[in-house]
Amino acid sequence: MAKLTILEFPDPRLRTRASPVESVDDGLRSLIDDLFETMYEAPGIGLAATQVNVHKRVLVADISADKSEPLALINPVIVEKDGVTATEEGCLSVPGYYEEVERAEHIRVKFTDRLGDDVEMEAEGLLAVCIQHEMDHLEGKLFVDYLSEAKRSRIRKKLVKEQRYRSADAVAL
Ligand code: NI
């Protein structure tokens, strides 16, 4: 297993639309293991392959406090959604920023699991929000896209500044 580097907003690679996974093989399972390791170490409750610059329709999530509910969704599709819930969301690709976003409260999602089996699952509350957030990543969409242009641009400027300081540190004499 390996911890992968997470792309940060406004990196244009986060805007890539992911392609469907055609076969669930050992290479894909190894990517899923790496996604879990990267997510747990961050720490976060969800991570999409897009965020580690792999543009395949794969995401992982675990909303438990003790890493006991790992979920890997391959080619996820929401087939039903209802209700509205507002959550303070953050994102490993937008470090340090939390803003309220409205999403469906309850979803039914179809996906392929790591064994290659087709699964249909219901999710509500935080798990439903997490899956919707990660599925947005697969479309090249970020939670900041739900905010006003002014807010998004303020976050972009601050993050670009932080990223510049960080790369300057690497060559400081
Ligand atoms: Ni995210």
Side-chain angles (χ1 to χ4, degrees), residues 47-150:
L47 188 66
T50 308
Q51 291 176 274
V52 298
N53 200 29
V54 176
H55 302 287
K56 294 180 184 170
R57 304 186 82 79
V58 182
L59 66 89
V60 297
D62 188 343
I63 62 160
S64 74
D66 57 358
K67 307 183 181 180
S68 62
E69 294 165 30
L71 273 173
L73 279 63
I74 301 161
N75 298 334
V77 178
I78 291 175
V79 291
E80 221 178 274
K81 55 164 108 182
D82 58 73
V84 178
T85 184
T87 312
E88 286 269 307
E89 290 187 23
C91 177
L92 295 174
S93 294
V94 190
Y97 293 88
Y98 297 86
E99 296 286 346
E100 192 166 89
V101 176
E102 282 190 356
R103 299 191 189 267
E105 213 279 322
H106 167 262
I107 59 169
R108 176 179 282 275
V109 61
K110 260 171 47 175
F111 59 95
T112 301
D113 69 12
R114 62 179 293 144
L115 300 174
D117 293 326
D118 290 330
V119 179
E120 204 168 305
M121 184 187 89
E122 286 196 50
E124 56 181 24
L126 183 59
L127 182 59
V129 166
C130 179
I131 291 171
Q132 291 170 84
H133 174 119
E134 303 314 329
M135 284 182 67
D136 272 356
H137 279 300
L138 304 180
E139 300 301 324
K141 190 166 181 179
L142 298 166
F143 86 93
V144 293
D145 298 347
Y146 294 97
L147 311 178
S148 68
E149 173 57 38

